[in-house]
Each structure stands twice: as structure tokens, then as C-alpha cells.
Amino acid sequence: MRLRAFLTLAVPLAFAALFVRLGFWQLSRLEQKRAFNAVLSARLAAPPADVTTLPSDTALGHYRRVTASGTMLYDHEVVYAGRSREGSPGVDLLTPLKLDGRDTVVMVNRGWAYSFDAATIDKTRWREKDSARVAGYTETFTGKERSAVPGRVHALDRTAIQAIVGLPVAPYLIVQTSDSARHADSIPVRLEIAAPNEGPHKSYAIQWFSFALVAVVGGVALSRRSR
């Protein structure tokens, strides 16, 4: 009987300790998110810089507001498949921008366009001016391309994109933001950076602490009842 009473109390307390640990883990994630948001806000608030002046370490230049001038190479455009918008299937158009006076191209995400299968699209419909001055913010290449399809990627894999383009690709990618032509039918829907938020970590922490409290109260009640 004593062993049963001990286990009746010990097991809920063990779960309570686990729940408390998970609660503090969510609080640590919340602090990390707040620190990231502070860096993000500071970089987005800074004046736009020329993309050629960014540091080689992409971690230092991520989410910086930038501008770039050059020539759009639409014949080397890459389709970033599997992108949705407001529930509709589509793709993002990644167009190489040949920088003035440089051999390296910068990939520009010109925005989203509808595609019935989220993969194929008539690129000629979305062609803009050859000479361009692009404004937006920087992204970094992430992910690994697993399905080799000519002219199309499903991840921002710099190696795979460079193989499609056939030219040296800069380590940064520019996400082109809204401009005066954003509502034109022949212009892809420009992408906007999501507003900084703290995510669900605080509510998750409260839930875990609540579970811990329930486990402690329930364990004590069961232990007394077993006695």
C-alpha cells in the first residue's frame, strides 16, 4: 500500500517536472525570438544599401534593405515551384540580375504568379523591363534541391540555381518589394516581409505550466485518496 501511494504521487510529480522543463524551454525560445525580432527591426529600419556593399558573411547581411541596378536576364529565369498565396497555387519567379560592371548575377525574387499545378508557367507573360533598378530586402539560400527539373527548383539551393543559370550567383538573393507597378496584370505579386511577431511560445509556456499544476494537484489528491 505504501508503494502504491508513493507511485501515485511520484509519477505525477515526475510528469510535472517534465512539464515545467518544457515551459522554461518555451520561454527560452521566446527570448531567442525577441532577440531575432530586435535584429530584424534594426536592419529593416536602416537606410537601403547597395547590394554590392554587403559583407561576405550572409548572416550579417540577412534581411537588409538593399538596391541593385543592372540587366534582367529573363532567358535564364528560374521557377521556384510550390508557392501558394491566399490558398491559390503558384510559383515565385527568380530572375538573374546582371550587375553593372560585374560578372556575378544576383537572383531577384520578382514575386508570385498563379500556376494551376504550382510548377509550370508562361514566363513570357511576366516579363518586365530589361534594364532595372531593384529595391527590396535580402534573403539567403537555404534548403537542398532534391528533384532535378530543368529551369525549376523546389528549394532555394544556390548550387542548383547556379547550375540552371549557368553564371556565378551571388550569395544573397533579393526579394523585390512593392512598387508603382504592383497592380499591373503582367507584374508578379511582389512579396512583403512578414511583420515581426513573438510566435506562440508564450502561450505554449503557459500551457505547460498549467499541465504541471494539474499534475501536482491531481497527484496529491490521488495520493491522499489511496491512503
Side-chain angles (χ1 to χ4, degrees), residues 104-181:
T104 302
V105 299
V106 176
M107 301 304 298
V108 177
N109 187 334
R110 294 195 293 122
W112 179 90
Y114 173 80
S115 169
F116 75 96
D117 61 355
T120 56
I121 195 171
D122 179 10
K123 296 180 183 178
T124 59
R125 176 188 172 185
W126 305 101
R127 185 162 180 162
E128 301 179 60
K129 295 180 179 179
D130 292 340
S131 179
R133 179 172 176 78
V134 175
Y137 65 91
T138 54
E139 265 287 6
T140 56
F141 292 94
T142 56
K144 184 68 176 178
E145 181 61 33
R146 300 184 181 277
S147 55
V149 178
R152 185 194 310 165
V153 295
H154 293 82
L156 293 179
D157 185 333
R158 183 184 178 191
T159 302
I161 291 175
Q162 189 164 257
I164 295 173
V165 174
L167 296 167
V169 173
Y172 291 101
L173 178 146
I174 299 177
V175 178
Q176 188 172 4
T177 50
S178 300
D179 53 25
S180 59

Side-chain angles (χ1 to χ4, degrees), residues 60-140:
L60 299 177
H62 198 187
Y63 294 122
R64 282 289 307 274
R65 293 173 60 205
V66 294
T67 59
S69 299
T71 304
M72 290 290 193
L73 305 180
Y74 294 103
D75 292 340
H76 299 269
E77 194 164 57
V78 179
V79 171
Y80 184 15
R83 316 307 296 169
S84 64
R85 181 178 182 272
E86 298 179 353
S88 298
V91 301
D92 287 355
L93 297 175
L94 309 180
T95 309
L97 177 67
K98 179 70 167 56
L99 299 176
D100 296 334
R102 292 176 178 261
D103 296 330
T104 302
V105 299
V106 176
M107 301 304 298
V108 177
N109 187 334
R110 294 195 293 122
W112 179 90
Y114 173 80
S115 169
F116 75 96
D117 61 355
T120 56
I121 195 171
D122 179 10
K123 296 180 183 178
T124 59
R125 176 188 172 185
W126 305 101
R127 185 162 180 162
E128 301 179 60
K129 295 180 179 179
D130 292 340
S131 179
R133 179 172 176 78
V134 175
Y137 65 91
T138 54
E139 265 287 6
T140 56

